[in-house]
Structure formats: structure tokens, C-alpha cells
Amino acid sequence: MSKELKTGIVSLLIIGVGIWGYNFLKRQDVFSPNARHFFVEYANINGLSEASIVTINGLQVGKVDQITFNPSPEKKGTLLVRFSLQNNFEFSKNSIAKIYPAGLMGGQNLAIVPSYSGDKAVSGDYLQGEVKSDLFSSVGEKFNPIQDKLANVLVHVDSLVVGFNQTLNQEARQSLNRSILGFEGTVYNLNKTMRSINKLLEDNKSKIDVTLDNTKKITEDVSKITEDLAKAELGKTIKKLEATIDNANGLLVGMKEGKGTLGKLVSDDKLYTNLANATKEMEELLREMKLNPKRFVHFSLFGKKPKPYNEENNNKNVSNDK
């Protein structure tokens, strides 16, 4: 064999090994030319790259071959992903090709979510595309609406502050400062008063304790008195008192109706007049006995008669002998 032939064979082997190595690095199997390939359209592939693996139910069944922009003018800007499957697993055209994060370190893979309803998918068909957000993207998506709302709130707060500054002129600001200083002074005085009260309580703690003890003792005494009253036959006493009041009321009613001596005395004017006249005559008789005792007790050896009753002298409280 000539050297030129050997050189040609070695060159072909080197070229073949190079092509195989290149495809191996791209995860392409040059020994499986009959592998099925499919297409998926995405608006954003979230970092999916060529040679990313393709899985079905977690099992690696293929790889991404090519990622290009869609040449169709109607779908300008969309990305067209071509992937191949070396597995004969069958699924329908309604299956979904979902991009999902490969791990926390980054990278994206493609997963086929198989559907078995509808026509069977064959090589060259288009599948529905879907993107599963990773942790940071999910947080970002959820934070974006909050960020927008926060921005709106900040704008309103800024407007409020501007309006507040425009409303508060120099005089109003000075008045507000004085109010704040006055409130600070009030708080200081309140703290001072509280300290004074605390000191007063500490200084009179013993007296307060004694007062509380006395109060407790008084409470106990009152409780004992209440208990004694509860044990006493208070009901019977009250009933007797009610009976006495009823009797007194009956007596007063009888007096008012003229029953009995007191009733007649109270209601009969004639009896009252006679009694008053008798009292007056008794008073005059006693005065006459005091002024002229000789008229009632007479001792005379010579037969001298006492002077007769003189009403004028009696009224003047003067004796008849004068």
C-alpha cells in the first residue's frame, strides 16, 4: 500500500472522528439518522440553548437541535425550536413542549408533557409551546405588579407631600412647630407629674398599707355585721313594726272619725270649748285661792267676815284685803 493511500485513509478517519466528536459535543447521534424531529414556537425561550436535553416524564429521550427566528413575516420575532427524539414513545399532537429550569445553577431543558387524545404526532409536526418560570422569574413576575402599585403609591405620596408643603406656609409651619413644642412640654410635665406621684406613693407606702389593712378590717366587720343581721329574726321584727304602724294608723283614723275620747276631743269643738272654759275657771279659782285664802279657810274670834270675790282684783292679781 502506498504512502499516499495510507495518508488518505488516515485523513478520512481523522475527518470522521472530528465530525463524530463535534456531533458528540453537540449531543447529536450520527448513528441514528432516522430520529424523529419536531418544532415548537416560543416568544421567549428563557435561556434554552442548542443541545439542551429533552425529557418525557423525567426520562431523557432527545435533545434540542436548532434554535432560529421564525422566517415567516407574520410571526416575525418569534423563536422556532427544533428538537429530535431517539425514543419511539408515541404521543398526540396535543402534547405540550414545556421549557423548565434545569436547576438553581441555571440552564433550561425541554420537557414533553404527553397527551394521548387526538392524532398521533409524527416527525415534522408542530407542538404547543409553554414556559415554566423558575424561582427568580416567578418572584419577579409576582413582584412586578406590586412594584407598579408601589410606584403609584409613591407618586401619590409625592403629590401629597407637595400639596402639604404648598398648604403649609411659613406662618403655618411656625404654628405647627409651636404646637409640637407645646405637646413635648405637656409630655415632659406629665412625666414629671408621674414621677412625683411615684415618689409620693413610695414615701407613703407604709401609710397606704395601713389604710388598706384598716379597710380590709372594716370590710370584714361590715361583713360580720351583715351576717349577724342575716342570722337575726329581722323578718319578725319588721312584721311587728308593720303591725304597730297599722295600729297607729287605725288610732289616727279613729281620732279623725271622732271615735273614742281622743277622737271626740279632736273633732268635737263644743267639748274642746267646755274643756278650755273649765281650764280657765280652774285657773281663776286657783288664783283666787292664792290671793284670798281667807275666803276658803276662815278663822276669826271676833266674827269678821271675809271680803267677797272681786273679779277686777282677781284679773289684776291683787288681794281683796288691800
Side-chain angles (χ1 to χ4, degrees):
M1 185 180 294
S2 62
K3 293 182 179 180
E4 292 78 3
L5 183 58
K6 293 180 179 179
T7 303
I9 294 173
V10 171
S11 299
L12 290 175
L13 289 174
I14 292 173
I15 293 172
V17 171
I19 294 173
W20 179 83
Y22 175 75
N23 289 309
F24 178 78
L25 293 175
K26 293 181 63 177
R27 297 186 179 181
Q28 294 180 356
D29 191 355
V30 295
F31 301 105
S32 300
N34 297 325
R36 296 178 296 168
H37 62 275
F38 298 92
F39 297 93
V40 189
E41 293 178 343
Y42 296 100
N44 190 328
I45 59 175
N46 275 9
L48 184 70
S49 61
E50 295 181 358
S52 295
I53 66 173
V54 180
T55 62
I56 296 179
N57 295 338
L59 176 66
Q60 181 178 347
V61 294
K63 60 180 180 58
V64 176
D65 298 328
Q66 188 179 25
I67 301 175
T68 59
F69 285 101
N70 198 321
S72 176
E74 295 82 5
K75 298 181 180 180
K76 188 176 181 179
T78 60
L79 295 170
L80 184 62
V81 177
R82 179 181 184 272
F83 64 92
S84 60
L85 299 179
Q86 284 80 33
N87 192 291
N88 294 326
F89 184 78
E90 295 181 353
F91 49 87
S92 71
K93 294 181 180 180
N94 297 326
S95 300
I96 298 174
K98 181 183 293 185
I99 298 175
Y100 67 96
L104 295 176
M105 299 304 295
Q108 302 288 334
N109 289 332
L110 192 64
I112 305 299
V113 181
S115 175
Y116 309 104
S117 62
D119 297 335
K120 183 178 70 172
V122 296
S123 182
D125 285 341
Y126 281 73
L127 302 181
Q128 300 179 29
E130 188 175 307
V131 179
K132 181 179 180 181
S133 301
D134 58 7
L135 177 61
F136 298 103
S137 299
S138 178
V139 172
E141 292 174 357
K142 292 182 179 178
F143 182 73
N144 286 334
I146 299 175
Q147 183 180 5
D148 296 337
K149 293 181 181 179
L150 183 60
N152 293 331
V153 171
L154 291 177
V155 171
H156 287 88
V157 170
D158 183 67
S159 301
L160 180 62
V161 171
V162 172
F164 186 73
N165 289 332
Q166 292 177 354
T167 302
L168 291 180
N169 53 18
Q170 186 67 25
E171 183 178 356
R173 292 174 183 171
Q174 293 177 357
S175 177
L176 181 61
N177 290 332
R178 288 194 298 269
S179 300
I180 294 174
L181 293 175
F183 180 73
E184 183 180 359
T186 302
V187 173
Y188 173 77
N189 293 330
L190 182 61
N191 292 330
K192 186 177 179 181
T193 303
M194 293 302 297
R195 287 195 296 269
S196 300
I197 292 174
N198 290 332
K199 187 175 183 303
L200 180 64
L201 291 175
E202 290 178 358
D203 295 339
N204 296 274
K205 183 178 179 182
S206 58
K207 296 181 181 179
I208 293 174
D209 293 338
V210 172
T211 303
L212 292 176
D213 292 338
N214 293 334
T215 304
K216 182 179 179 182
K217 185 177 180 181
I218 292 172
T219 304
E220 293 176 353
D221 293 341
V222 171
S223 177
K224 185 177 180 181
I225 293 172
T226 305
E227 185 178 356
D228 293 340
L229 289 175
K231 292 180 179 179
E233 296 180 353
L234 190 60
K236 293 182 179 179
T237 304
I238 293 175
K239 289 182 179 179
K240 291 180 180 179
L241 180 60
E242 290 178 351
T244 303
I245 293 174
D246 292 339
N247 293 332
N249 289 332
L251 180 61
L252 292 175
V253 171
M255 291 176 60
K256 185 176 180 180
E257 293 177 353
K259 296 179 181 180
T261 303
L262 292 176
K264 291 179 180 180
L265 180 64
V266 171
S267 60
D268 193 349
D269 295 338
K270 183 177 181 181
L271 178 61
Y272 174 78
T273 302
N274 293 335
L275 183 61
N277 292 333
T279 302
K280 183 177 181 181
E281 290 177 358
M282 181 65 70
E283 181 182 357
E284 291 177 354
L285 177 61
L286 291 175
R287 185 182 298 113
E288 178 66 19
M289 291 178 64
K290 181 179 179 181
L291 295 176
N292 304 298
K294 293 180 180 180
R295 292 186 60 221
F296 302 95
V297 181
H298 178 65
F299 294 97
S300 176
L301 297 176
F302 302 101
K304 186 178 179 180
K305 294 182 179 180
K307 294 181 180 182
Y309 171 74
N310 190 332
E311 184 178 358
E312 182 179 356
N313 289 337
N314 191 295
N315 292 333
K316 293 180 180 180
N317 202 18
V318 177
S319 175
N320 292 335
D321 295 335
K322 295 182 178 181

